[in-house]
């Protein structure tokens, strides 16, 4: 299987973490998002022009959480995506929350605090930053409260829910994410940072 990926993509890192945990080898195809020609080729395999994209034979799959679920479904005996319908619904809930709310808000701060200056668009907009920080604190409170009496988001072990939510925290320091005041969240993040699936997917 091939994964079209860029090491700056937290969505791609989600997929790599799942593959790492499942012991699935992936042939990583690095896509330079600055290159117009490579972006054009990316549009040929994903009409949205975004990463990651998984190629399994003649099957092309985009959207990180769909890829994560697919990798679990083709791996017998895996525990990241349990078969029980209610447990899966709970895992799905957190995956959707991660994509629609948590990661989306973090991406605003990452753009304003990191990428904007790197691409010559000037300093971050204080109003946009302040609004996004407020939104992220609200989301952080939700996550922190949920983790008050548990080590993992769903059940008693690591699942796709944790991986989906944690991936964009790779930008905790660089994007100056205002989450340091949430002890349960930070303890959960530290637990994941000690796992091989996090250590082995860090950018070189």
């Amino acid at each position: 299987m091939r994964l079209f990926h860029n090491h700056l993509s937290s969505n791609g890192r989600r997929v790599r973490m799942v593959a790492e945990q499942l012991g699935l080898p992936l042939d990583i195809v690095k896509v330079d998002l600055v290159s117009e020609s490579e972006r054009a080729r990316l549009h040929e395999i994903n009409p949205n022009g975004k990463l990651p994209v998984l190629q399994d034979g003649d099957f092309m799959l985009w959207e990180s959480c769909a890829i994560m679920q697919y990798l679990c479904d083709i791996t017998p005996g895996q525990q990241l995506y349990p078969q029980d319908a209610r447990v899966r619904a709970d895992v799905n809930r957190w995956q959707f929350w991660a994509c629609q709310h948590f990661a989306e808000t973090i991406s605003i701060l990452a753009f304003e605090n990191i990428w904007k200056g790197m691409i010559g668009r000037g300093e971050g907009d204080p109003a946009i930053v302040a609004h996004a920080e407020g939104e992220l604190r609200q989301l952080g409170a939700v996550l922190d409260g949920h983790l008050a009496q548990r080590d993992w988001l769903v059940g008693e072990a690591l699942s796709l829910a944790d991986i989906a939510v944690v991936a964009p925290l790779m930008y905790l320091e660089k994007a100056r994410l205002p989450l340091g005041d949430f002890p349960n969240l930070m303890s959960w993040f530290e637990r994941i940072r000690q796992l091989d699936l996090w250590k082995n997917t860090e950018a070189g």
Side-chain angles (χ1 to χ4, degrees):
M1 288 184 289
R2 305 171 77 194
L3 183 70
F4 294 84
H5 173 58
N6 184 290
H7 72 277
L8 298 175
S9 169
S10 62
N11 291 334
R13 189 170 185 180
R14 285 176 178 152
V15 174
R16 292 189 61 210
M17 284 194 287
V18 171
E20 175 73 24
Q21 186 72 7
L22 297 176
L24 293 176
L26 293 177
D27 179 14
I28 304 297
V29 181
K30 297 178 182 179
V31 178
D32 181 1
L33 296 176
V34 178
S35 166
E36 290 187 13
S37 62
E38 291 201 21
R39 289 186 68 88
R41 285 196 291 271
L42 177 58
H43 274 276
E44 294 175 3
I45 60 174
N46 179 358
N48 301 291
K50 295 184 178 182
L51 297 170
V53 180
L54 181 77
Q55 180 180 11
D56 187 6
D58 61 356
F59 180 49
M60 306 294 292
L61 182 63
W62 34 266
E63 291 300 322
S64 60
C65 287
I67 298 171
M68 292 160 64
Q69 292 175 4
Y70 176 73
L71 294 180
C72 286
D73 284 338
I74 64 173
T75 304
Q78 60 80 29
Q79 300 298 316
L80 290 177
Y81 196 37
Q83 295 294 322
D84 180 86
R86 291 190 177 184
V87 176
R88 277 206 165 188
D90 202 3
V91 170
N92 292 341
R93 178 225 311 267
W94 285 105
Q95 289 186 95
F96 297 149
W97 183 86
C99 293
Q100 294 291 325
H101 305 292
F102 197 61
E104 183 68 18
T105 305
I106 289 174
S107 72
I108 296 171
L109 291 172
F111 179 74
E112 294 294 326
N113 292 333
I114 305 174
W115 313 124
K116 199 171 186 179
M118 291 180 67
I119 62 175
R121 298 272 297 274
E123 298 292 325
D125 185 313
I128 294 175
V129 169
H131 180 75
E133 286 181 342
E135 291 283 336
L136 189 59
R137 287 190 184 96
Q138 292 181 30
L139 296 167
V142 170
L143 190 56
D144 192 70
H146 182 73
L147 289 163
Q149 302 297 327
R150 57 176 66 236
D151 289 337
W152 308 104
L153 290 181
V154 177
E156 302 299 324
L158 179 82
S159 73
L160 293 188
D162 301 284
I163 295 172
V165 175
V166 80
L169 292 183
M170 63 189 276
Y171 289 115
L172 179 68
E173 291 86 10
K174 289 184 179 180
R176 303 192 292 277
L177 306 181
L179 297 172
D181 293 335
F182 297 108
N184 304 316
L185 188 163
M186 295 307 296
S187 294
W188 164 80
F189 182 35
E190 187 58 31
R191 278 192 292 279
I192 295 177
R193 290 174 78 169
Q194 298 307 311
L195 300 177
D196 286 343
L197 85 168
W198 184 269
K199 296 177 181 179
N200 294 343
T201 58
E202 289 186 294

